[in-house]
């Protein structure tokens, strides 16, 4: 049979995998059965294709095969078209020789990566990059089509040429987000897309209207400068509302860093007008200065600089795979702005780093903190008990998600398997315990660094309990390292800290009696009043022994 | 140097309270004196900031239509500068405290409640 050249080539190249890619395996199997029972159809040339008449159905088969038409109502590639294609393949010269070398998928390579990135968005792009980096990406097979299995969606995509004829198990006729994700994975595997370039794109996302940003920045600068000109003693309480309004403007303009700076300033102004005992001029000036400087930076910034200065609203949770955690400690927290709850601190045994889980609830809907209902204890990830009960237990998380700052998500897709209770000394590596306070000062106590970077497990050479400071209402414990350098454990007495102070007083008694020699402390480092200090989250008197 | 930083912080918070309109002109001689002290101890950036702020406040007080931005910008930079210097000093103070505890010179030791 004489077929147009293009069509003959397309038929020769289309193996079963390609035909499955055009529709699905079921349709191809049905077409094979139909072919076996088919009487010889009528065939005639029609333009650049061939018209095949099978009973009441007429198909126009042309190259590329995905653009073939059929008289049946089906809008997709139907079994009639596949039957006609299979018959034409037989007529064109029997089954083709299997190709040693597959197609080079030029159309897949040529598809612009930027378009894929834009279609996926920042969140999906992060997930793709994580899976690519960690080797937990999709299973991909290549023959005449590229089959990509994305089990986490779930979806299976068949990419073929031309790309418009690719199929997805979501049945979308368009170039859906699953196809975009599959194609990006393939491009990363083939080296067409570079992870480094995509990582830059990941942090940037949508652009800003530079004129709008400039306008808002100028407005913030002028407002704050006017407040400095007037003077705090002459400002009316209405300044709080002014700052709050500016923060809202920044939120709308997607400038979260400036929004947060203004909300912090709002907090200080509110404390000033409320005559709060904790208010300090230096703190207000610092927050005002920060907001002003940030606005000034945004005013003159180009697009790339705006991206860096604008910040992010909320850290996204990204998949982090399988985590082998140990719950080292927990801390009750009351946050300015009306949140209260517990933060749980985990040690990841393979990565050798800390993760946290925050269980904080708002108190501002209740009648003051004193009357807040006790919240239910957290039991995420399908745990058979509360996290509090899992203290000092090992647990394995599969499908975990966390922010870049190491805060774990309570997502339902993550499952935990709880092991038994273990003494921390059996889990925490001895080389990770800090004994040199000079190294702590240098590496783990930088002001304004994230709390995660200031967490430390410390074994002092000696502990010296101090008398309770009745003037400052502070409990202190002086720790010394082997070189005589000191580090101060300090807890200011507040209602919320009463339990902590009581426990530390018990420790101090044990130290004085000599029943405890070298406890291990876990806490957050900071610098204050010329001293290196530690806020204690936990202390352990039996580090290696079973509890 | 700690005392100098405290004086700088006090001056800046006084300006915050009184405002550049009212407190600006009277702050100018204090700013100039502090700028000289900064130069004497080697805080050249601090000296330049305070001098610049003094000039901006002085120029501002002699104009009818006041431009708040230049003086406000310098005031905010100065506040940030003082804060950074204090953070740096904190680290040095901690090390100095360790040093003097290791080698007491007859003065009262630091530390203890």
């Amino acid at each position: 049979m004489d077929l147009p050249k293009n069509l003959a080539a397309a038929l020769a190249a289309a193996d079963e995998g390609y035909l499955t890619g055009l529709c699905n395996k079921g349709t191809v199997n049905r077409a094979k059965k139909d072919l076996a029972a088919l009487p010889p159809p009528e065939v005639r040339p029609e333009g650049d294709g061939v018209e095949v008449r099978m009973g009441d159905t007429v198909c126009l088969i042309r190259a590329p095969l995905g653009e073939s038409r059929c008289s049946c109502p089906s809008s997709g590639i139907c079994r009639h078209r596949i039957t006609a294609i299979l018959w034409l393949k037989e007529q064109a010269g029997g089954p083709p020789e299997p190709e040693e070398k597959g197609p080079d998928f030029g159309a897949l390579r040529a598809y612009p990566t930027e378009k894929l990135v834009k279609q996926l968005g920042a969140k999906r792009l992060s997930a793709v990059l994580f899976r690519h980096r960690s080797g937990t990406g999709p299973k991909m097979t290549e023959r005449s089509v590229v089959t990509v299995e994305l089990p986490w969606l779930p979806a299976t995509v068949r990419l073929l040429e031309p790309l418009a004829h690719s199929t997805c198990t979501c049945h979308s006729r368009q170039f859906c987000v699953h196809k975009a994700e599959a194609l990006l994975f393939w491009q990363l595997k083939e080296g067409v897309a570079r992870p480094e370039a995509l990582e830059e794109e990941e942090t940037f996302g949508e652009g800003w209207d530079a004129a709008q940003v400039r306008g808002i920045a100028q407005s913030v600068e002028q407002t704050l400068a006017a407040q400095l000109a007037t003077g705090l003693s002459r400002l009316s309480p209405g300044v709080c509302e002014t700052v709050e309004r500016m923060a809202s403007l920044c939120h709308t303009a997607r400038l979260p860093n400036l929004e947060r700076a203004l909300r912090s300033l709002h907090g200080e102004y509110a404390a000033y007008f409320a005559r709060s005992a904790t208010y300090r001029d230096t703190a207000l000036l610092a927050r005002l200065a920060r907001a002003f400087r940030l606005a000034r930076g945004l005013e003159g910034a180009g697009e790339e600089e705006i991206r860096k200065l604008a910040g992010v609203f909320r850290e996204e949770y990204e998949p982090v795979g399988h985590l082998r955690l140990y719950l080292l400690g927990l801390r009750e927290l009351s946050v300015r702005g009306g949140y209260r709850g517990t933060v749980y601190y985990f040690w990841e045994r393979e990565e050798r780093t800390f993760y946290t889980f925050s269980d904080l609830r708002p108190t501002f809907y209740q009648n003051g903190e004193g009357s807040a209902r006790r919240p239910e204890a957290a039991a995420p990830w399908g745990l058979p008990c509360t996290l509090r009960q899992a203290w000092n237990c090992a647990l394995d998380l599969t499908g975990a998600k966390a922010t870049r700052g190491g805060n774990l998500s309570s997502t339902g897709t993550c499952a935990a398997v709880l092991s038994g209770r273990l003494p921390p000394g059996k889990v925490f590596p001895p080389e990770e315990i800090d004994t040199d306070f000079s190294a702590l000062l240098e590496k783990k106590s930088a002001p304004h660094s994230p709390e995660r970077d200031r967490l430390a497990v410390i074994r002092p050479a000696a502990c010296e309990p101090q008398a309770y400071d009745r003037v400052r209402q502070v409990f202190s414990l002086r720790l010394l390292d082997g070189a005589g350098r000191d580090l101060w454990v300090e807890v200011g007495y507040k209602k919320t800290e009463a339990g902590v102070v009581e426990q530390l007083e018990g420790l101090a008694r044990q130290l004085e009696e000599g029943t405890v020699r070298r406890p291990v402390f876990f806490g957050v480092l900071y610098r204050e009043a010329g001293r290196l200090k530690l806020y204690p989250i936990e202390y352990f008197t039996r580090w290696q022994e079973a509890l | 140097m700690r005392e100098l930083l405290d004086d700088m912080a006090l001056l800046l918070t006084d300006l915050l309270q009184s405002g550049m309109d009212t407190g600006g002109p009277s702050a100018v001689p204090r700013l100039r004196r502090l700028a000289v002290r900064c130069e004497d101890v080697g805080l050249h950036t601090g000296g330049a900031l305070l001098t610049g702020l003094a000039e901006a406040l002085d120029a501002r007080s002699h104009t009818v239509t006041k431009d708040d931005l230049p003086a406000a910008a310098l005031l905010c930079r100065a506040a940030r500068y003082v804060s950074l210097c204090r953070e740096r000093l904190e680290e040095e103070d901690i090390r100095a405290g360790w040093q003097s505890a290791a080698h007491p010179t007859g003065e009262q030791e630091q530390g203890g409640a």
Side-chain angles (χ1 to χ4, degrees):
Chain A
M1 171 185 287
D2 276 337
L3 294 170
K5 225 177 187 178
N6 284 353
L7 181 55
L11 286 169
D15 61 4
E16 185 167 326
Y18 187 88
L19 296 178
T20 307
L22 278 179
C23 46
N24 58 67
K25 203 163 178 60
T27 302
V28 172
N29 289 341
R30 178 62 197 267
K32 283 183 192 169
K33 285 186 185 160
D34 289 348
L35 181 66
L38 185 72
E42 291 170 32
V43 180
R44 65 182 185 90
E46 178 71 33
D48 59 349
V50 165
E51 186 183 280
V52 180
R53 188 177 288 271
M54 300 171 292
D56 295 334
T57 313
V58 180
C59 295
L60 174 60
I61 306 301
R62 57 209 290 200
L65 296 176
E67 288 179 18
S68 301
R69 298 282 174 266
C70 180
S71 59
C72 79
S74 172
S75 54
I77 300 292
C78 57
R79 59 188 170 94
H80 309 116
R81 278 173 259 197
I82 301 295
T83 308
I85 289 167
L86 287 171
W87 186 84
L88 285 171
K89 277 171 70 73
E90 278 182 2
Q91 303 310 307
E97 291 295 324
E99 287 183 24
E100 295 276 338
K101 189 178 153 206
D104 75 341
F105 298 114
L108 273 59
R109 285 175 201 283
Y111 194 89
T113 309
E114 315 80 68
K115 278 181 82 172
L116 296 174
V117 165
K118 194 167 179 181
Q119 185 174 356
L120 288 174
K123 200 168 172 178
R124 280 191 125 105
L125 177 62
S126 278
V128 166
L129 287 172
F130 169 78
R131 290 188 192 281
H132 177 74
R133 278 193 300 266
S134 62
T136 55
K139 183 177 163 195
M140 289 189 265
T141 47
E142 275 183 44
R143 289 200 185 85
S144 53
V145 304
V146 175
T147 305
V148 183
E149 290 172 38
L150 308 158
W152 53 85
L153 290 177
T156 298
V157 172
R158 291 191 178 86
L159 299 167
L160 39 82
E161 297 184 300
L163 208 49
H165 300 153
S166 301
T167 57
C168 176
T169 44
C170 77
H171 305 298
S172 171
R173 302 295 305 279
Q174 313 299 325
F175 192 71
C176 62
V177 70
H178 311 130
K179 289 174 190 164
E181 189 165 329
L183 182 53
L184 183 59
F185 271 116
W186 184 83
Q187 287 190 346
L188 284 166
K189 174 174 108 40
E190 293 291 313
V192 175
R194 292 188 308 111
E196 312 78 45
L198 293 178
E199 269 154 22
E200 272 180 33
E201 191 67 44
E202 185 186 2
T203 55
F204 292 158
E206 287 180 47
W208 283 261
D209 178 351
Q212 184 198 33
V213 169
R214 193 163 39 249
I216 288 174
Q218 282 171 349
S219 176
V220 169
E221 281 178 73
Q222 280 157 9
T223 306
L224 296 182
Q227 289 168 8
L228 285 171
T230 305
L232 187 56
S233 57
R234 288 176 184 76
L235 286 176
S236 76
V239 71
C240 295
E241 205 181 300
T242 305
V243 173
E244 173 72 33
R245 211 166 40 243
M246 285 196 299
S248 299
L249 271 177
C250 293
H251 182 89
T252 311
R254 293 185 300 116
L255 301 171
N257 277 353
L258 186 53
E259 181 197 352
R260 275 190 281 268
L262 288 166
R263 291 202 190 279
S264 289
L265 176 59
H266 172 272
E268 291 300 328
Y269 272 133
Y272 171 76
F273 287 109
R275 300 178 198 279
S276 165
T278 58
Y279 167 77
R280 297 286 180 274
D281 280 345
T282 44
L284 191 148
L285 181 58
R287 296 202 195 280
L288 194 153
R290 171 162 164 69
F292 186 95
R293 285 170 43 249
L294 194 48
R296 181 142 275 213
L298 281 165
E299 186 195 351
E303 177 146 350
E304 196 164 316
E305 197 59 27
I306 290 176
R307 282 173 176 160
K308 288 178 189 167
L309 294 173
V312 291
F313 279 113
R314 196 169 70 102
E315 278 197 273
E316 295 285 343
Y317 288 112
E318 297 173 350
V320 290
H322 182 199
L323 295 179
R324 298 179 60 220
L325 301 176
Y326 178 80
L327 180 51
L328 189 59
L330 55 98
R331 172 183 174 188
E332 302 297 331
L333 205 60
S334 189
V335 179
R336 202 177 193 178
Y339 284 83
R340 196 167 70 173
T342 311
V343 177
Y344 300 88
Y345 295 85
F346 295 89
W347 174 252
E348 211 292 335
R349 288 168 276 160
E350 284 189 9
E351 291 176 32
R352 295 194 168 196
T353 186
F354 288 102
Y355 281 88
T356 54
F357 178 78
S358 302
D359 180 30
L360 300 175
R361 312 290 169 91
T363 58
F364 42 79
Y365 291 126
Q366 289 139 357
N367 300 324
E369 282 192 39
S371 63
R373 228 168 12 98
R374 188 180 177 78
E376 286 175 23
W381 315 314
L383 277 172
C385 60
T386 64
L387 270 178
R388 195 174 286 270
Q389 290 168 329
W391 179 73
N392 279 186
C393 288
L395 50 148
D396 283 5
L397 288 191
T398 47
K401 288 187 177 179
T403 63
R404 288 187 190 187
N407 199 38
L408 292 163
S409 165
S410 60
T411 175
T413 58
C414 172
V417 172
L418 190 67
S419 308
R421 183 155 283 156
L422 293 168
K426 297 273 191 251
V427 174
F428 202 84
E431 59 272 20
E432 296 286 343
I433 300 177
D434 292 297
T435 53
D436 179 350
F437 294 173
S438 178
L440 281 180
L441 176 67
E442 194 179 328
K443 293 176 190 163
K444 291 190 181 179
S445 68
H448 314 299
S449 59
E451 184 186 88
R452 193 190 189 196
D453 297 342
R454 292 181 289 117
L455 291 172
V457 175
I458 295 164
R459 181 162 232 160
C463 303
E464 293 177 359
Q466 307 292 309
Y468 182 75
D469 186 336
R470 292 182 190 282
V471 173
R472 291 191 308 139
Q473 301 257 311
V474 168
F475 170 89
S476 301
L477 188 59
R478 186 177 181 226
L479 310 183
L480 295 162
D481 69 1
R485 293 178 281 249
D486 60 6
L487 181 154
W488 292 78
V489 173
E490 280 195 0
V491 181
Y493 187 86
K494 288 189 287 195
K495 194 173 166 188
T496 48
E497 303 277 31
V500 177
V501 171
E502 198 180 313
Q503 294 223 354
L504 290 172
E505 284 174 341
L507 173 64
R509 275 194 297 276
Q510 289 178 298
L511 288 166
E512 279 163 356
E513 288 163 7
T515 50
V516 164
R517 301 286 302 272
R518 291 182 67 196
V520 175
F521 293 86
F522 169 54
V524 186
L525 288 162
Y526 62 103
R527 302 171 191 175
E528 187 182 72
R531 288 179 176 172
L532 183 60
K533 295 185 179 179
L534 180 83
Y535 177 82
I537 297 171
E538 295 284 352
Y539 70 84
F540 303 91
T541 54
R542 288 149 68 186
W543 182 248
Q544 290 279 359
E545 299 150 25
L547 300 165
Chain B
M1 189 176 297
R2 206 164 299 111
E3 204 180 298
L4 173 58
L5 291 173
D6 288 346
D7 289 345
M8 286 169 72
L10 184 62
L11 175 50
L12 293 174
T13 50
D14 283 350
L15 260 177
L16 172 73
Q17 279 283 349
S18 59
M20 297 190 296
D21 285 345
T22 311
S26 58
V28 169
R30 284 173 72 189
L31 283 165
R32 294 198 197 282
R33 282 197 297 274
L34 279 177
V36 169
R37 283 173 64 189
C38 284
E39 292 293 342
D40 289 344
V41 301
L43 292 181
H44 304 297
T45 304
L49 280 171
L50 295 180
T51 303
L53 180 55
E55 285 168 3
L57 288 171
D58 200 23
R60 192 177 169 277
S61 67
H62 298 303
T63 57
V64 174
T65 315
K66 297 188 192 305
D67 182 3
D68 296 331
L69 285 178
L74 284 164
L75 199 161
C76 292
R77 279 183 64 194
R80 175 69 177 145
Y81 176 79
V82 170
S83 174
L84 285 173
C85 287
R86 280 184 154 159
E87 282 172 15
R88 182 60 195 272
L89 260 193
E90 188 105 73
E91 185 174 343
E92 291 177 11
D93 282 351
I94 293 172
R95 291 195 188 281
W98 288 341
Q99 195 79 354
S100 67
H103 306 288
T105 56
E107 291 171 358
Q108 210 168 19
E109 270 190 35
Q110 284 185 23

